[in-house]
């Protein structure tokens, strides 16, 4: 004889399923909240300090020490900076200086043992660990570049790395122009331009595989007599611009 479920059994099964669904939903909500908490949890910022008598550049300390790791960082010239500004929204280190609270961040693609980034009203400034040598245009290892107008505010062109365009038909290999820029400073350079600077010119931001989180800036400048130059913004060195580079930039 075929057995049939009694109303009492059906009710018990229904109640059990209801409890099971409630447990699943509550567990999911709790798991989601826990995951969200884990995502938002960040390590507390390190406390930094500046030694007494430290010099300053435009209101920024030229040296700061991480109180937790003991690493002393030095302010880099403006021409050497953190590409992308900062990594994440939470500061890596905070430091009080002349009544202001400074916030230092991790640099994208770089280790804090080497570089950190300071947020300022005018952008981000790079600090290097005292044990890290300031890169020169030769040691930076430039392989690509971005071309800018308006004091690096508007990007208008790029010099691509040869490996990056190898599989793209018709793409220009910009390695030769990057090499022209670095080679121009291998000579003694020039002491000064033949006249005052004209308004026209370009900013060149070099990129490196050795320092993927940084950029190195070189200005292309023209004086009132029509002479073209390259100006290293890190060292302040001036060099004549190669004719082929000038022709490529001027179009």
């Amino acid at each position: 004889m075929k057995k049939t479920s009694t109303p009492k059994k059906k009710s018990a099964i229904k109640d059990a399923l209801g409890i099971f669904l409630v447990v699943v939903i509550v567990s999911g909500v709790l798991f989601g909240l826990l995951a969200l908490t884990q995502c938002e949890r960040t390590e507390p910022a390190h406390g930094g300090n500046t030694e007494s008598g430290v010099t300053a550049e435009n209101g920024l300390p030229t040296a700061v020490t991480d109180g937790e790791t003991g690493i002393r960082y030095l302010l880099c010239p403006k021409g050497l900076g953190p590409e992308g500004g900062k990594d994440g929204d939470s500061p890596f280190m905070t430091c009080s200086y002349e009544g202001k609270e400074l916030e230092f961040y991790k640099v994208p693609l770089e280790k804090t043992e080497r570089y950190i980034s300071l947020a300022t009203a005018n952008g981000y400034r790079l600090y290097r660990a005292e044990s890290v040598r300031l890169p020169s245009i030769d040691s930076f290892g430039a392989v690509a570049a971005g071309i800018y107008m308006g004091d690096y505010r508007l990007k208008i062109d790029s010099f691509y790395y040869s490996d990056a365009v190898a599989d793209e038909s018709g793409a220009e290999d910009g390695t030769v122009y990057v090499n022209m820029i670095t080679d121009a400073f291998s000579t003694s350079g020039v002491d000064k331009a033949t006249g005052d600077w004209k308004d026209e010119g370009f900013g060149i931001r070099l990129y490196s595989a050795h320092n993927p989180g940084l950029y190195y800036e070189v200005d292309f400048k023209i004086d009132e007599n029509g002479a073209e130059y390259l100006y290293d913004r890190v060292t302040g060195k001036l060099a004549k611009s190669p004719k082929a580079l000038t022709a490529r930039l001027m179009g």
Side-chain angles (χ1 to χ4, degrees):
M1 180 180 292
K2 185 177 180 181
K3 294 183 179 181
T4 59
S5 299
T6 66
K8 186 178 291 185
K9 284 184 178 180
K10 288 182 178 180
S11 178
I13 294 172
K14 185 176 181 181
D15 290 344
L17 287 173
I19 293 172
F20 176 74
L21 288 174
V22 169
V23 170
V24 170
I25 293 171
V26 171
S27 298
V29 171
L30 290 175
F31 180 80
L33 290 173
L34 179 60
L36 181 62
T37 302
Q38 292 292 335
C39 289
E40 292 179 347
R41 184 180 299 166
T42 57
E43 295 182 3
H46 294 194
N49 58 79
T50 57
E51 58 268 31
S52 59
V54 68
T55 56
E57 178 193 313
N58 295 328
L60 305 179
T62 54
V64 61
T65 301
D66 185 332
E68 186 168 321
T69 64
I71 297 177
R72 186 170 184 260
Y73 296 93
L74 305 178
L75 178 62
C76 294
K78 285 185 177 181
L80 185 68
E83 180 65 20
K86 64 177 183 178
D87 183 6
D89 295 325
S90 300
F92 167 75
M93 182 177 73
T94 59
C95 175
S96 295
Y97 180 70
E98 295 185 347
K100 297 182 294 184
E101 187 76 4
L102 303 181
E103 292 186 341
F104 295 85
Y105 292 84
K106 294 180 179 179
V107 175
L109 304 178
E110 296 289 348
K111 295 181 178 179
T112 54
E113 291 84 357
R114 292 174 54 80
Y115 297 101
I116 55 177
S117 174
L118 172 63
T120 76
N122 299 314
Y124 295 90
R125 289 296 301 273
L126 184 70
Y127 281 71
R128 62 180 173 90
E130 192 172 29
S131 60
V132 175
R133 291 186 62 182
L134 180 69
S136 66
I137 197 166
D138 291 327
S139 66
F140 186 66
V143 294
I147 313 302
Y148 293 79
M149 292 185 67
D151 195 24
Y152 293 86
R153 289 185 176 87
L154 176 63
K155 187 175 182 179
I156 60 170
D157 199 357
S158 295
F159 291 156
Y160 295 105
Y161 180 41
S162 55
D163 288 356
V165 300
D167 298 327
E168 296 184 27
S169 177
E172 180 188 25
D173 183 355
T175 306
V176 61
Y177 299 111
V178 173
N179 291 340
M180 286 180 189
I181 295 168
T182 56
D183 291 345
F185 291 98
S186 63
T187 63
S188 58
V190 296
D191 294 329
K192 60 181 181 179
T194 63
D196 294 335
W197 298 120
K198 297 175 67 174
D199 291 336
E200 58 185 306
F202 301 97
I204 305 172
R205 188 166 281 181
L206 300 172
Y207 303 113
S208 166
H210 303 318
N211 302 278
L214 309 184
Y215 60 74
Y216 193 113
E217 292 179 338
V218 174
D219 291 341
F220 172 80
K221 303 167 76 73
I222 304 174
D223 71 16
E224 60 186 357
N225 296 313
E228 301 95 1
Y229 302 87
L230 295 173
Y231 174 73
D232 185 330
R233 297 190 69 176
V234 176
T235 64
K237 187 175 180 180
L238 196 65
K240 281 293 190 74
S241 175
K243 293 186 179 300
L245 175 66
T246 298
R248 172 63 177 78
L249 291 173
M250 299 300 290

